[in-house]
Amino acid sequence: MEEEEGEQMTRFYGVLILFVALFVITSVTAAHENVNYDYLIGNEFLEEFGPVMAKARNGDTIEFKGGGTFSTKPKTATGTGTFIHRNADGDIIGAGVWTATDLITFKSYGSGSFQELPAEFEGGRALIRVYLDPDPRIPGFNGVLKVTCLLGNKIPPKAQEGVQLLVRDAKINFNREMGGATLFIREE
């Protein structure tokens, strides 16, 4: 009788260890799988929500339109669009084209199905390296475009919809979202 109970316990622990191992392997594989996304920033599909803008400490604003694609593994990004830089009085002081060069990171906030939107619509935060090419008389420069979409069920408490533009060693950074709409669309 004791032998039989011992064999049952051995089988139970063997099955338990197998399930734990499968769970760990599945979790690690899922965390490292490649996911492809389209991203939209205030383009025609989203324009009813207003322009996607960020504001600098001095009152200047920058408006973005465009979109592209990115992949989470390997981290790559493509895309293009336009930007308009205005001073605190609203006068245009620069405009041009931005181009995505690579993905730094992406954090998903979950599916939009949580808010009764298509399941492939996702919220999240992407950091994308971009090259900004203003007026031909001004040299272009590199920056990091932070794109945030507030869909899903894992939205951090202080997250804001929109974009920010950070430029290394710049005298001005646009680090306050001013509204508009962005969207990530998970490719199946």
Side-chain angles (χ1 to χ4, degrees), residues 47-118:
E47 67 186 350
E48 70 181 83
F49 300 102
V52 178
M53 298 173 63
K55 189 173 189 176
R57 190 173 278 167
N58 70 353
D60 283 14
T61 60
I62 193 162
E63 178 181 337
F64 280 90
K65 276 190 180 183
T69 62
F70 65 82
S71 176
T72 59
K73 186 170 179 151
K75 293 178 183 172
T76 60
T78 64
T80 191
T82 59
F83 69 91
I84 301 171
H85 179 183
R86 290 183 169 88
N87 65 17
D89 293 328
D91 302 323
I92 295 175
I93 57 175
V97 176
W98 62 268
T99 304
T101 59
D102 69 8
L103 176 70
I104 299 169
T105 186
F106 176 70
K107 166 103 173 116
S108 175
Y109 294 163
S111 170
S113 62
F114 182 72
Q115 287 122 330
E116 299 181 13
L117 293 169

